[in-house]
Amino acid sequence: MNFRKYIFLCISAVFSMGLFAQSEKNSAKYLFDIDRVKLTGFGNTNSQLSLIDSKLAHFSGLSGAFLLNYQYYIGAYSYSLNTVHKWNDIYPSNYHPVDNPSDPLYVNSKLCFNHGGLMLGYIHNHTSIWHPTFDVKIGGGRIALVDENFSISDFDEHHADWIGVLTPEIGLEVNVTRWFKARISAGYSYVFSVDKTYYTDMDGNVNRLFSEKQFSSPFAALSFHFGSFGPRNNDD
């Protein structure tokens, strides 16, 4: 073979391999292909009915999240108790109605309860007008007692306790407009890490002040969502 032809073929092969490698580089696959992810977001109001100590309770709150491809979302939520739940008067530990009568330490107490944290969710078949959703909230919060005759603040609270909350939820959503949705849902709110604090009641009995079963319960919720839930008609 002619030496010049040999050199030419070698250079051509190297150049072809470079082009092939460049092509492979341009078509490389990634675990997370950012170019194919449509990132939007939404905010929503929450209204929830559940039970506290077997009595009807109403919570309200706000949430916000990043929405990926109009299907998956991750964000944060918060809930606060609105209804009034009175608690028993608390007497001194050595109180006895006959042997050692005395005035209560705390009277007219009502419950304060709020929690918030991480929110993860999935929207199935989001292009349909009606579609199911799946959601889980993982957070923490605070329960405490406050005299119902005073304004609620940290200075008025007593017997405060930090707790954890796990809330799986399934819902049905309706696309009202491209930027507005409504959702009805149901789930279960599991409250854990409640301190084992005891108190003395007016009969002289020692009881648990708070317990998980008082706060853990099924619930129903209504929420209104505002954000970007689909492409405009002229979007790709």
Side-chain angles (χ1 to χ4, degrees):
M1 178 181 291
N2 188 291
F3 182 72
R4 290 182 179 179
K5 289 183 178 180
Y6 177 77
I7 296 297
F8 176 76
L9 289 174
C10 289
I11 293 174
S12 299
V14 170
F15 184 71
S16 299
M17 290 175 63
L19 290 177
F20 179 77
Q22 183 67 30
S23 176
E24 284 295 304
K25 181 179 178 180
N26 291 339
S27 61
K29 304 302 180 183
Y30 302 97
L31 182 61
F32 298 103
D33 192 349
I34 303 300
D35 293 335
R36 296 188 178 184
V37 174
K38 181 67 174 179
L39 180 64
T40 57
F42 66 87
N44 63 284
T45 62
N46 301 309
S47 183
Q48 184 186 95
L49 288 176
S50 63
L51 298 172
I52 291 180
D53 206 16
S54 301
K55 297 180 179 65
L56 190 65
H58 176 257
F59 289 82
S60 62
L62 299 171
S63 303
F66 294 107
L67 185 61
L68 284 72
N69 291 339
Y70 311 114
Q71 191 172 15
Y72 303 94
Y73 58 89
I74 177 171
Y77 81 95
S78 66
Y79 271 111
S80 295
L81 178 65
N82 295 324
T83 46
V84 175
H85 296 263
K86 295 184 178 181
W87 238 245
N88 292 337
D89 294 342
I90 298 174
Y91 286 78
S93 58
N94 61 349
Y95 167 80
H96 190 277
V98 177
D99 299 336
N100 189 25
S102 60
D103 293 332
L105 297 174
Y106 299 97
V107 297
N108 301 322
S109 295
K110 67 177 181 180
L111 180 71
C112 298
F113 184 13
N114 55 73
H115 62 94
L118 179 67
M119 177 176 68
L120 301 170
Y122 168 67
I123 303 170
H124 181 69
N125 198 18
H126 66 91
T127 56
S128 296
I129 294 180
W130 293 92
H131 48 264
T133 64
F134 306 92
D135 187 296
V136 62
K137 298 178 179 70
I138 307 167
R142 181 181 172 92
I143 52 178
L145 298 178
V146 64
D147 191 317
E148 65 177 343
N149 296 320
F150 291 88
S151 61
I152 297 175
S153 72
D154 290 341
F155 298 103
D156 301 323
E157 290 179 350
H158 57 89
H159 294 86
D161 182 17
W162 292 98
I163 48 88
V165 184
L166 176 63
T167 310
E169 184 175 351
I170 185 170
L172 182 64
E173 215 171 53
V174 57
N175 293 335
V176 181
T177 68
R178 191 183 66 84
W179 52 266
F180 173 57
K181 292 184 177 186
R183 180 191 298 182
I184 54 173
S185 56
Y188 190 86
S189 182
Y190 174 59
V191 177
F192 57 94
S193 294
V194 178
D195 288 344
K196 293 183 179 180
T197 303
Y198 294 88
Y199 78 102
T200 304
D201 65 16
M202 64 180 299
D203 297 320
N205 300 315
V206 177
N207 302 305
R208 181 97 177 260
L209 184 62
F210 301 131
S211 67
E212 285 86 353
K213 67 180 182 179
Q214 289 176 298
F215 301 99
S216 299
S217 76
F219 66 85
L222 173 66
S223 56
F224 299 103
H225 302 242
F226 302 88
S228 180
F229 304 111
R232 294 183 177 89
N233 290 334
N234 58 352
D235 285 352
D236 292 335

